[in-house]
Amino acid sequence: MAAPTESTSETPTNKKQKKSKNAVDETELLVVPEGWKEPKFTREDNPKGLLEESSFATLFPKYREAYLKECWPLVQKALGDVFINATLDLIEGSMTVHTTKKTFDPYAILRARDLIKLLARSVPFEQAVRILEDDMACDIIKIGTLVRNRERFVKRRQRLIGPKGSTLKALELLTNCYVMVQGNTVSALGPFNGLKEVRKVVLETMKNIHPIYNIKTLMIKRELASDPELRTQNWERFLPNFRHKSLSKRKQPKKKTVKKKEYTPFPPPQPESKIDKQLATGEFFLLESEKRRKKMTEIKVKQAEALSKRQEQRQKDFIPPKEKPAVKKTKPATTENKIDIQAIKEKVKKAKSKKLGAPPVNPETPSAKDGKRKKLKS
């Protein structure tokens, strides 16, 4: 009986040890070692080649024709290394790539398709050839339909480029991607993580969020990634939070005076119908001939009123305007205009005392005359 008990006691511990070993192995598998690169796809991986021929074609604008003519031999040489044929049709304005019997890499045709797409979107050949590498990918972001107003679209697109291309250059350095803004699209070329960040910045810029905010967060993330202690921690406490201010367009008053109606539990009274009104006036019980007669009389009364108003308006031109009565203006009696009777009497007395004829040369005052008279009397 003792033997089986020992065996049972040992089994759970062994299972726990096995589980811990498996857990350790899984965590180690999830972590990618530094400096590790995926081996290149060679002919040994696919010695028989492809079963079917596949091809892709894309159109290019007229202004790219001269450049594509010059660099097309270099494009054919680069695609010839992976056994893919490329043709340039200047009449139709298209580029075509298709596989051959010697093509062994099935993903090479997709890379060739991306290459001709980038060339059509004004990306220079020196940058577009990098898409044929394994670690490279491309993304063409359409921004033409994100903003309705054309002027606003041009301003936001210029904001993405920045003064003398400084904003775009900063974005390229932080994401390790090549970014080309052309017309209604933004072409990006680089690693997958960088392309994700480029797409986010471009779309938010077109939604009226300045790219400097995203560039600032990318700079902080880059610093945190270089620190081995903070690499595994949560970065939310370090990243800035930029709130979007949504200001209301309409200015509302500070004090709102809204008159509230008194609450009544009863519903509003139902409006009277046409029949109810006729019943109230007694018109409902009249005969049709009487109704017609009543209507005709109402129409005649209305016509007579309208006729009288028209005649009054016509006669207005012939009625003379009322003249205002002529009233003489009476000046108010002032102290200056009042007649001094005493002064007039004195003047008359003086005039009587004077002799008729010409006035004397040196008229003497009455006081001097009185003095002379007194002397003569004496």
Side-chain angles (χ1 to χ4, degrees), residues 303-320:
Q303 284 177 353
E305 285 176 1
L307 191 76
S308 63
K309 281 181 181 179
R310 252 183 257 135
Q311 284 177 352
E312 281 176 7
Q313 284 179 352
R314 284 172 186 170
Q315 291 295 326
K316 271 183 184 179
D317 297 332
F318 302 104
I319 296 166

Side-chain angles (χ1 to χ4, degrees), residues 148-164:
R148 287 183 182 178
N149 192 356
R150 187 67 188 170
E151 289 178 8
R152 202 175 289 166
F153 167 74
V154 171
K155 279 183 183 177
R156 290 180 189 178
R157 188 179 63 183
Q158 187 59 37
R159 196 183 292 167
L160 180 65
I161 297 162
K164 296 180 182 178

Side-chain angles (χ1 to χ4, degrees), residues 107-125:
Y107 201 71
I109 186 66
L110 297 175
R111 293 190 183 284
R113 176 202 63 185
D114 292 340
L115 173 65
I116 59 172
K117 268 189 184 178
L118 291 169
L119 288 168
R121 292 313 309 149
S122 299
V123 176
F125 172 74

Side-chain angles (χ1 to χ4, degrees), residues 29-45:
L29 288 168
L30 288 170
V31 177
V32 179
E34 289 183 7
W36 181 85
K37 282 187 178 181
E38 195 175 342
K40 283 188 176 183
F41 194 85
T42 57
R43 188 172 281 280
E44 292 172 4
D45 298 321

